[in-house]
Amino acid sequence: MTRVLRDSYNRTIRDLRVSLTDRCNFRCFYCLPHGEPPIAPKEQMLSYEEIEYACDVFVELGIQKIRLTGGEPMMRRDIEQIIYKLAQLRDRGLEDLALTTNGYFLPHRAESLKQAGLDRITISLDSLKRDVFKQMTGVDVLERVLEGIQAAKNAGLEPIKINAVIVRGHNEDEVADFAAFAREHDVKMRFIEFMPLDAGHDWSREDVVAGREIRERIEERFPLVPVDEVRGSNTSSRFRFADGAPGEIGIIAPVTEAFCGACSRIRLTSDGQIRTCLFSAVEYSLRDVIREGASRQELIDFIEGVVMKKEPRHFINDPGFVAPSRTMSFIGG
Ligand code: SAM
């Protein structure tokens, strides 16, 4: 009988995000505005054998989707090896192995990711204008990321999703242009509300462009039709183009339209901490349990116990909300 991880609110946990490193070669102002905070020493990071072992146990417990993220996961030199090992978990119930990247390394390595066994890829792209891209990410590499998207397509890492964080005063005027990009390149364009997960703690509600406004901006140019009647555990509300053009739109609105009730996710940080919510104030060290020599059954008991503590929802909109001390680059977006 296949096992299922369930939390105390009866939500089924099927989706694991694994951060491979805290390091990043970009300096997105909404994530790492003041450069990289001190990163964990190497001995605190999970080795690829530990990642593989932990994922093996998670899959036994019913995890069906694994997404590798970071920091910038492609800064980890052994990423192909990790992907190769995790791809073997398909025989044990893994259905989907994906990666989120800033795209910088893709022109040369998309093909090797595919060969290692990666199913699909999500690439961050916050602007189609060179100057805005540089201002938002801290690096002048728009052309290279666009090449990376093409390389991912050529390698067959599809369906390709493109993530853009929309921040007031920076790129909200590009929303419809991004939709045009999705149509032209047949990709799934996903717009993300700015969340209070920036290292600078400069987030303010006025900077958030609400999902509803994003949809209106797109529909001024391209009428949309909802794809799903019910969103289920998907993070995004999905739309297709009413005129039948290729491409898809996803709107991820955790601030203005929280979707915690159907959350199916947990996270493992690169230093081996389990986080049960992006906004968790506490973490649970799976690394310590593994390194203390726990048996497989003890590891299973630990994971099941942690999942039972998953928060009912995030508290961004409550008075007194305190942003987590770790930024998105540490948590694994
Ligand atoms: N380095 C990879 C990348 O750029 O996609 C993976 C890690 S990054 C932390 C994952 C996603 O989180 C990116 O799409 C990024 O734009 C998003 N992100 C980071 N900080 C965010 C914030 N404060 N609000 C919303 N999204 C954020």
Side-chain angles (χ1 to χ4, degrees):
M1 208 180 73
T2 44
R3 299 172 76 148
V4 174
L5 266 178
R6 240 183 258 287
D7 71 8
S8 62
Y9 302 93
N10 213 25
R11 291 173 296 194
T12 307
I13 309 302
R14 293 282 190 204
D15 190 340
L16 174 68
R17 309 255 164 128
V18 181
S19 172
L20 295 184
T21 177
D22 295 341
R23 300 187 54 210
C24 192
N25 53 335
F26 282 23
R27 292 289 173 267
C28 302
F29 80 88
Y30 52 76
C31 187
L32 286 176
H34 308 304
E36 240 164 14
I39 53 172
K42 194 161 184 284
E43 60 276 11
Q44 288 181 19
M45 311 285 282
L46 293 186
S47 65
Y48 91 80
E49 289 92 346
E50 288 170 327
I51 292 173
E52 183 195 344
Y53 177 46
C55 288
D56 187 276
V57 174
F58 275 112
V59 168
E60 179 183 337
L61 289 174
I63 290 291
Q64 294 173 335
K65 293 184 182 181
I66 295 180
R67 174 173 293 281
L68 303 175
T69 177
E72 173 45 47
M74 293 195 72
M75 287 190 81
R76 193 144 166 169
R77 291 211 184 97
D78 54 1
I79 187 165
E80 281 90 354
Q81 207 167 356
I82 295 174
I83 290 170
Y84 178 77
K85 293 284 186 187
L86 297 185
Q88 313 307 312
L89 296 175
R90 283 207 191 85
D91 301 338
R92 311 196 357 100
L94 181 68
E95 292 180 1
D96 187 36
L97 183 57
L99 171 76
T100 302
T101 173
N102 59 33
Y104 182 83
F105 297 100
L106 286 177
H108 306 296
R109 281 172 62 201
E111 191 58 48
S112 61
L113 296 178
K114 180 70 184 175
Q115 277 171 14
L118 188 70
D119 290 319
R120 59 194 181 87
I121 204 157
T122 298
I123 302 163
S124 298
L125 178 69
D126 291 326
S127 177
L128 295 164
K129 298 178 192 162
R130 182 176 166 186
D131 55 334
V132 179
F133 183 97
K134 181 172 176 227
Q135 184 266 324
M136 289 188 75
T137 62
V139 283
D140 188 9
V141 295
L142 171 62
E143 275 308 313
R144 185 164 166 153
V145 172
L146 293 174
E147 276 171 41
I149 294 172
Q150 190 53 48
K153 271 197 120 175
N154 296 347
L157 288 166
E158 290 179 289
I160 292 177
K161 290 184 184 167
I162 307 291
N163 276 355
V165 181
I166 304 301
V167 187
R168 179 80 62 209
H170 292 268
N171 58 354
E172 80 267 34
D173 58 334
E174 289 191 65
V175 165
D177 293 341
F178 274 125
F181 183 87
R183 293 162 64 91
E184 189 186 337
H185 297 278
D186 189 11
V187 292
K188 298 181 185 232
M189 188 69 226
R190 307 190 332 153
F191 299 93
I192 309 177
E193 285 180 350
F194 180 27
M195 292 181 273
L197 289 167
D198 53 317
H201 296 289
D202 294 326
W203 180 87
S204 115
R205 199 162 290 277
E206 289 78 63
D207 299 335
V208 177
V209 180
R212 173 192 287 262
E213 177 181 332
I214 291 170
R215 182 175 171 180
E216 285 166 3
R217 283 178 176 269
I218 298 170
E219 295 215 87
E220 278 170 16
R221 240 154 93 188
F222 307 113
L224 299 173
V225 180
V227 171
D228 306 306
E229 292 276 310
V230 196
R231 180 163 64 196
S233 63
N234 287 332
T235 47
S236 63
S237 305
R238 296 163 58 212
F239 302 90
R240 58 180 176 77
F241 294 104
D243 64 1
E248 194 183 286
I249 297 296
I251 299 179
I252 304 178
V255 180
T256 64
E257 297 167 47
F259 40 82
C260 309
C263 183
S264 62
R265 278 166 290 283
I266 50 170
R267 294 179 149 79
L268 183 62
T269 66
S270 58
D271 57 353
Q273 312 297 308
I274 300 180
R275 291 182 68 95
T276 47
C277 172
L278 260 183
F279 297 94
S280 290
V282 276
E283 301 180 335
Y284 305 89
S285 184
L286 189 70
R287 180 196 64 207
D288 289 352
V289 179
I290 294 176
R291 291 191 184 169
E292 280 157 12
S295 66
R296 192 174 178 97
Q297 187 55 50
E298 283 167 339
L299 210 59
I300 287 174
D301 293 344
F302 178 76
I303 293 170
E304 287 179 337
V306 167
V307 166
M308 286 307 273
K309 295 183 193 143
K310 185 170 162 66
E311 299 79 346
R313 62 181 179 87
H314 70 61
F315 300 99
I316 305 177
N317 297 315
D318 291 18
F321 166 75
V322 180
S325 53
R326 301 232 256 182
T327 77
M328 197 71 146
S329 68
F330 281 97
I331 297 168

